[in-house]
Amino acid sequence: MGHRDDTLGARAEAGGRDGPVYDRRWTVEVRTAARCATALLALLILVDGVASTLTPWRGVLWLALAALLFLVLCPPRISAGPGWLATRCLLRTRRVRTDLLVSVYPHDGVSRRLVLRDALGGRVELDPQVFLDNPGLWYRVEEDILHSTTTGSLRCGTTALHRLTEHVDRETARTVFKLSGLD
């Protein structure tokens, strides 16, 4: 009879030090995208039904339009493990070696993005808000970024990373204080 080590099991489920860490808000965002697409489909069919212009072809068109809205709103699944960060969209997965980072730079535009590039040519673009919402994900990636900095492979973007680190630490502390009633 073997005994199960509950500590290791709980640690692996929570995305322990060696296990992958995932974006906790991804499922909520996917559900929201599905609800928006479903609401659009229901509204279009309702309006068409009330106007007595609903045909099978129009129904297929409204279904395709709702599916397109879901594809646009569906967020990428972000995960990180020892030495890597991956973003998985519906059609492809992009992966970057976080222990071999060459550059990290913010891209300001319509939406804020953080672009990470590694020495092997990998490139990942993601919203920095993901790290604010998931401090565990950020700390997993930060360990490897520190490794890249100490080995000298990270040549561009340390200032942006320091700002992001301070921002994540500040927001994490603010959340802890709020939850404990000390704010």
Side-chain angles (χ1 to χ4, degrees):
M1 288 189 118
H3 296 284
R4 181 173 171 243
D5 187 353
D6 291 332
T7 306
L8 288 176
R11 190 172 166 199
E13 289 173 10
R17 182 167 172 78
D18 296 330
V21 181
Y22 298 93
D23 179 6
R24 295 178 307 183
R25 295 184 43 87
W26 181 77
T27 54
V28 173
E29 292 176 4
V30 168
R31 283 188 201 126
T32 302
R35 285 183 188 131
C36 288
T38 304
L40 177 69
L41 178 63
L43 184 64
L44 290 171
I45 289 176
L46 178 70
V47 168
D48 232 7
V50 168
S52 297
T53 57
L54 183 62
T55 64
W57 290 111
R58 287 177 70 99
V60 169
L61 177 67
W62 299 146
L63 182 64
L65 189 63
L68 181 64
L69 178 66
F70 176 75
L71 291 175
V72 168
L73 295 179
C74 188
R77 176 76 189 235
I78 299 171
S79 58
W84 58 271
L85 175 77
T87 60
R88 188 179 74 203
C89 297
L90 293 174
L91 300 177
R92 70 195 289 177
T93 299
R94 292 183 184 254
R95 188 178 282 240
V96 69
R97 291 286 309 262
T98 51
D99 56 350
L100 298 174
L101 285 178
V102 174
S103 70
V104 176
Y105 60 92
H107 183 271
D108 293 326
V110 174
S111 64
R112 291 183 51 207
R113 307 305 268 165
L114 188 67
V115 181
L116 300 125
R117 292 181 184 263
D118 66 10
L120 304 174
R123 179 179 183 271
V124 168
E125 219 178 293
L126 53 95
D127 185 2
Q129 186 66 36
V130 171
F131 292 131
L132 293 173
D133 294 339
N134 301 285
L137 185 67
W138 169 248
Y139 293 127
R140 170 68 258 164
V141 171
E142 185 184 32
E143 287 178 11
D144 294 328
I145 290 172
L146 291 174
H147 180 266
S148 294
T149 305
T150 57
T151 60
S153 67
L154 184 61
R155 296 182 290 260
C156 178
T158 55
T159 306
L161 286 172
H162 288 299
R163 271 190 256 138
L164 183 59
T165 300
E166 290 172 359
H167 194 59
V168 170
D169 289 342
R170 187 174 38 248
E171 289 299 317
T172 303
R174 185 175 291 138
T175 303
V176 168
F177 287 143
K178 183 187 282 185
L179 291 175
S180 63
L182 297 175
D183 60 334

